[in-house]
Amino acid sequence: MNQFRFSRRPDIGDKVRVSFEFFPPKSDEMEARLWDTVTRLEPLKPKFVSVTYGAGGSTRERTARTVKRILNETTLTPAAHMTCVDAARHEVDAVIQEFAGMGVTRFVALRGDPAEGVGASYRPHPDGYANGAELVGAMKGAGDFDISVSAYPEKHPESPDFATDFDMLKRKADNGATRAITQFFFDNDLYERYVERARRAGIYIPIVPGILPVHNFTQVANFSARCGALVPAWLAERFEGLQNDPQTHALVASAVAAEQVLDLVERGVGDFHFYTMNRADLVFAVCHMIGIRSHEAEAAGSAAA
Ligand code: FAD
């Protein structure tokens, strides 16, 4: 991949749209960091920003509080993540209504992982929605919402094969999902192949790549192993020896994420979802490189020209 190829494309920013994912903060300190991040990323005018939902609804109140604050204090459009783990249908329906009552029009609908964590075996609540597809159906019945769902370019770890995965994704699309957002990945060929196979399986909703800038390679490598995402040898090699050198780590991480995104743009991808980890810097830098800039930055650029 030759990065200089990309620098001849000053028009890229016109074609690219982004969304950002946050998680609800657990402490005052984390809350302050989240709001610094939101404030820094808001001028980039993302299509929406999503707020995750903890296992078994454990963050329900914090998710709702974060979504409410985004609605009340920013110009951003929030999307509330929801899962159906350990909840009866009427409880999930009540949460959908609670969000709708606040003015939420976008959701990210997920089955979720068992409260014991990724890898533990999933048992649906006896009166609950069994999977993401059933949850999408419930949301669609409750209102005219924009609904994102998950997709797994490297297969969901519980799924016996890709056919089972595509069957589930098709059910989610047929039940009214607007788009799918992928689990993060580092090999763009895998994503491209996945999208081609989805189209052949009759799935036509947009499949938006989820991009994870690598804030901490060791943590990402551990998490990837649990959720079935491959960490290519070349990626490990780029971060080798940088555990105690945060500045170089950040520079390398921003180069890696920009390279990935620019290559996807070259392949015709126009929408990106960033897993921000509630940190702005890497995402802001990558957005800058793909031409997504705040009006202030544009104005400063034209004044200097
Ligand atoms: P589904 O779409 O219902 O299923 C996913 C796949 O798993 C299916 O394709 C199917 O092949 C396979 N599968 C499911 N059940 C079975 C089974 N019983 N046997 C065999 N195969 C099975 N988690 C959270 O807790 N909170 C969040 O906010 C959150 N946000 C996420 C956002 C995105 C964009 C993504 C990609 C994931 C997110 N997750 C979140 C993680 C997600 O909850 C887990 O990956 C979970 O294991 C599956 O949820 P799902 O909605 O993808 O499941």
Side-chain angles (χ1 to χ4, degrees):
M1 196 188 311
N2 172 5
Q3 69 273 32
F4 294 110
R5 195 175 73 204
F6 303 127
S7 60
R8 295 198 296 270
R9 299 281 304 277
D11 59 328
I12 280 177
D14 300 339
K15 300 190 184 110
V16 175
R17 290 156 303 274
V18 294
S19 52
F20 302 136
E21 182 169 310
F22 304 120
F23 61 86
K26 274 194 190 138
S27 64
D28 290 350
E29 193 189 329
M30 285 167 78
E31 172 119 13
R33 191 175 87 193
L34 169 64
W35 288 97
D36 284 349
T37 301
V38 170
T39 308
R40 181 133 163 86
L41 297 179
E42 183 179 5
L44 302 182
K45 298 195 185 313
K47 197 162 163 180
F48 62 89
V49 295
S50 76
V51 182
T52 62
Y53 197 79
S58 57
T59 67
R60 194 183 121 196
E61 279 175 20
R62 282 187 280 126
T63 301
R65 215 171 35 242
T66 306
V67 166
K68 201 172 198 164
R69 196 166 164 194
I70 290 170
L71 277 167
N72 291 344
E73 297 180 28
T74 75
T75 55
L76 299 166
T77 304
H81 289 223
M82 274 191 64
T83 70
C84 34
V85 181
D86 288 342
R89 288 170 185 237
H90 69 89
E91 291 168 316
V92 173
D93 295 347
V95 180
I96 298 171
Q97 290 306 332
E98 181 188 334
F99 279 122
M102 282 164 41
V104 169
T105 57
R106 289 174 180 260
F107 287 101
V108 182
L110 303 141
R111 183 201 72 178
D113 285 310
E116 303 83 62
V118 182
S121 86
Y122 183 83
R123 259 171 296 136
H125 186 286
D127 300 320
Y129 298 112
N131 50 48
E134 289 192 7
L135 181 58
V136 172
M139 283 175 175
K140 214 58 197 174
D144 184 21
F145 300 119
D146 174 292
I147 304 170
S148 301
V149 294
S150 58
Y152 299 88
E154 296 173 73
K155 195 174 78 52
H156 186 276
E158 283 169 46
S159 188
D161 49 39
F162 271 103
T164 312
D165 255 12
F166 285 127
D167 184 49
M168 179 65 78
L169 186 56
K170 181 150 176 15
R171 285 170 60 194
K172 293 191 274 196
D174 290 347
N175 283 356
T178 317
R179 78 184 60 71
I181 299 173
T182 75
Q183 180 63 279
F184 67 86
F185 58 92
F186 297 106
D187 181 341
N188 289 349
D189 289 343
L190 286 175
Y191 165 80
E192 200 168 31
R193 264 203 304 277
Y194 178 83
V195 175
E196 282 165 12
R197 289 179 72 177
R199 301 301 180 233
R200 283 206 295 277
I203 299 159
Y204 301 112
I205 55 172
I207 300 176
V208 177
I211 304 294
L212 178 69
V214 181
H215 289 282
N216 181 322
F217 178 76
T218 309
Q219 278 173 11
V220 167
N222 289 338
F223 186 64
S224 300
R226 275 183 284 139
C227 67
L230 181 81
V231 175
W234 64 260
L235 187 70
E237 198 188 307
R238 293 233 183 138
F239 288 99
E240 202 174 81
L242 297 180
Q243 292 89 332
N244 301 318
D245 182 352
Q247 279 176 336
T248 311
H249 191 293
L251 289 168
V252 171
S254 119
V256 164
E259 209 175 336
Q260 179 177 20
V261 170
L262 288 164
D263 178 62
L264 288 167
V265 170
E266 285 286 310
R267 296 173 191 232
V269 176
D271 288 88
F272 294 90
H273 184 77
F274 286 95
Y275 295 106
T276 70
M277 308 307 288
N278 291 4
R279 292 171 186 270
D281 284 356
L282 291 180
V283 174
F284 195 88
V286 175
C287 284
H288 185 89
M289 282 193 257
I290 56 175
I292 300 213
R293 298 180 182 187
S294 65
H295 288 311
E296 292 79 12
E298 301 268 88
S302 9

